Amino acid sequence: MRLKGRTALVTGGSRGIGRAIALALGEEGADVAVNYVSSEGPARDVVENIKKMGRRAILAQADVGDYPDTFRMAQEVLREFGHLDILVNNAGINSDKSFVKMDHASWRKVLAINLDGVFNCTKVFIDPMLKQNYGRVVNITSVIGQIGNFGQANYAASKAGVAAFTKSLAKELAGKGVTVNAVAPGFIETEMVEGIPEKVRQKLLDQIPLKRFGRAEEVARSVVYICSADGDYITGAELSINGGLLM
Ligand code: NAP
């Protein structure tokens, strides 16, 4: 167990990649706070699964795009766990439309959750991490932030923003015990990808050298790697888990 005694918060831990990350951290020995915005049932299921592993696990409801709400959640998590070692900024949404059809509300919503959300969550936990001279921040970006995509100007901009934020923060916090990294998944089998029409799915598969979509567990294992002692010398990295889509 590589994370025995550690405490973690996974934003968007109720479903998809975040769920897999929360479970993987629990399997490796961490106590886990599972954030969600509205799916209480699925988040509770993740919490129950982690408890069955013998770990502490709690629900941590908040809209990460809302700073006061995120601050409230952080106080609850810190009260429950006493401290936080690992923060995984995973919560994210997409709202796809070609730029000509994209309205300001859709731009703001995606940026508010995907980019401001990372600022908000990191901001509310960074002081206690610095005080304890230890922290592992992992931000989930996307291959789309690296290559762009038709209909995803808002999403791509948000993820590229998180990647740049990751590197800046890594430089600021190196030497203070806190590493900051990103994991950039390609196309992973979750609800986000299941919504893609079959024709487009086939076109995407043709572009992926490994000829399949990724699994949430494959992303989760890379997060565990970064957060374990094996990843102690890694900071400012953006680790690609994309089947070779971008190389
Ligand atoms: P998903 O299945 O749609 O799950 C999204 C998660 O984010 C849910 O737990 C959801 O909570 C949470 N969430 C949404 N808005 C939130 C908010 N305002 N505050 C707190 N939590 C919020 O997504 P996914 O496919 O697992 O993606 C997870 C992350 O990986 C995202 O950042 C996404 O951009 C990134 N990513 C995904 C892929 C992919 O192929 N799937 C590829 C690259 C990157 P509720 O359940 O309560 O709604």
Side-chain angles (χ1 to χ4, degrees):
M1 276 198 289
R2 289 179 284 172
L3 301 174
K4 201 169 181 326
R6 297 288 185 209
T7 55
L9 168 77
V10 182
T11 69
S14 50
R15 294 185 280 124
I17 293 172
R19 178 181 205 277
I21 293 171
L23 292 173
L25 294 174
E27 268 163 20
E28 290 288 344
D31 295 335
V32 187
V34 179
N35 163 259
Y36 66 100
V37 64
S38 55
S39 305
E40 185 178 330
R44 200 174 282 285
D45 181 67
V46 178
V47 164
E48 291 311 319
N49 272 290
I50 296 170
K51 280 185 180 167
K52 275 185 204 147
M53 298 169 191
R55 254 48 93 202
R56 284 186 297 169
I58 56 169
L59 288 172
Q61 192 283 332
D63 174 356
V64 297
D66 179 322
Y67 186 80
D69 204 28
T70 307
F71 182 80
R72 172 200 50 81
M73 174 191 72
Q75 302 316 301
E76 288 169 13
V77 171
L78 291 170
R79 200 177 313 125
E80 200 65 38
F81 284 170
H83 73 290
L84 194 80
D85 298 310
I86 297 167
L87 168 64
V88 184
N89 286 310
N90 161 82
I93 60 158
N94 61 313
S95 178
D96 302 350
K97 271 207 169 77
S98 66
F99 183 67
V100 171
K101 292 183 184 152
M102 187 178 287
D103 58 18
H104 182 256
S106 143
W107 171 267
R108 270 312 320 148
K109 189 166 185 210
V110 171
L111 269 288
I113 294 171
N114 295 10
L115 183 57
D116 298 1
V118 173
F119 170 87
N120 293 343
C121 284
T122 310
K123 191 74 187 162
V124 296
F125 284 111
I126 206 64
D127 285 344
M129 279 185 178
L130 289 172
K131 246 185 222 154
Q132 69 194 16
N133 205 30
Y134 183 89
R136 295 284 174 267
V137 179
V138 182
N139 301 322
I140 306 301
T141 56
S142 169
V143 70
I144 301 305
Q146 300 168 310
I147 62 177
N149 200 19
F150 187 97
Q152 293 199 299
N154 49 4
Y155 182 79
S158 72
K159 293 299 185 179
V162 173
F165 171 84
T166 302
K167 287 182 256 187
S168 300
L169 211 62
K171 284 184 178 170
E172 285 189 27
L173 303 182
K176 294 179 179 160
V178 179
T179 65
V180 189
N181 290 287
V183 169
F187 292 95
I188 308 299
E189 288 284 8
T190 66
E191 281 171 39
M192 212 178 242
V193 161
E194 278 158 20
I196 299 175
E198 189 49 41
K199 247 186 169 174
V200 182
R201 281 172 72 91
Q202 202 46 56
K203 268 195 185 161
L204 285 171
L205 284 174
D206 291 343
Q207 293 168 42
I208 300 170
L210 287 181
K211 294 292 169 222
R212 65 171 176 85
F213 296 122
R215 289 184 278 273
E217 292 71 23
E218 291 172 319
V219 179
R221 282 199 288 272
S222 70
V223 174
V224 168
Y225 167 61
I226 287 171
C227 296
S228 72
D230 296 335
D232 278 354
Y233 197 56
I234 306 173
T235 196
E238 188 173 19
L239 185 56
S240 288
I241 312 286
N242 63 26
L245 178 60
L246 172 70
M247 57 173 82

